[in-house]
Amino acid sequence: HVAGRTYRIANLDALTGEEGNYELSVLGAGIEDYGGNPATNDVTTAWARSDVRPVVVSVGPVTPDPRMDVVSSLDVVFSKPLAPATFTIDDLSLTRDGVPVADLSDITITSDDDTTFQLGGLEGLTATPGSYTLTVGAGGVEDPAGNVGTGSRSDSWLLDTTPPEVI
């Protein structure tokens, strides 16, 4: 207990010592305040740790979510500059309702600084209503010194084109 409603989770060093992507979730189920009122939500935080190897810091996020229109582009941020030619569509996975979207060849990858990349050409791949997840794996990327990336990061969103109905 730190103070008031703030608590600290400590001693994670042994669990987060390796380079890569991490996510910590605190699940509200079973947590009560002093008055016996149960928690009503879960909270998750994510981070990337890298001393040498590039890792994916963030994908997206897609907003709004849920949404009624296609996603045309998305940003991907790495922890350090990459050798740009090493980040390709082979490092991407896109699923709709848990099923892989097979042909990602329409996706373009551009960058102004070799750390933040813009994925374009997603319109045709995200036009069908459903639940999408885009995953970026760092295992195929390298920094200019040849250090191979590690870990992965994803963003998910729901495309629902059904308009609201007044009844």
Side-chain angles (χ1 to χ4, degrees):
H1 184 247
V2 176
R5 300 181 306 180
T6 304
Y7 290 81
R8 177 174 291 128
I9 299 173
N11 300 319
L12 296 174
D13 296 352
L15 301 172
T16 61
E18 297 291 321
E19 292 183 337
N21 297 98
Y22 293 93
E23 187 173 280
L24 176 67
S25 297
V26 177
L27 308 178
I31 298 175
E32 294 181 346
D33 66 11
Y34 292 120
N37 301 305
T40 58
N41 65 325
D42 302 333
V43 176
T44 298
T45 188
W47 69 96
R49 181 186 180 286
S50 175
D51 296 326
V52 176
R53 300 168 70 180
V55 295
V56 184
V57 173
S58 66
V59 176
V62 171
T63 57
D65 177 27
R67 58 189 303 113
M68 292 188 69
D69 57 343
V70 301
V71 172
S72 58
S73 65
L74 197 61
D75 285 347
V76 176
V77 179
F78 287 89
S79 59
K80 59 192 309 187
L82 301 182
T86 66
F87 183 35
T88 69
I89 61 172
D90 294 333
D91 302 305
L92 307 175
S93 167
L94 178 65
T95 62
R96 181 179 60 250
D97 298 327
V99 177
V101 175
D103 184 9
L104 303 182
S105 62
D106 287 342
I107 295 177
T108 60
I109 301 174
T110 58
S111 179
D112 291 331
D113 64 4
D114 299 336
T115 301
T116 300
F117 292 81
Q118 294 76 40
L119 305 182
L122 298 172
E123 304 86 352
L125 301 172
T126 63
T128 302
S131 179
Y132 288 87
T133 299
L134 178 75
T135 302
V136 178
V141 304
E142 296 180 8
D143 68 12
N147 297 304
V148 177
T150 186
S152 65
R153 177 86 66 214
S154 299
D155 190 29
S156 298
W157 67 94
L158 175 65
L159 175 65
D160 183 357
T161 58
T162 306
E165 182 178 321
V166 178
I167 45 177

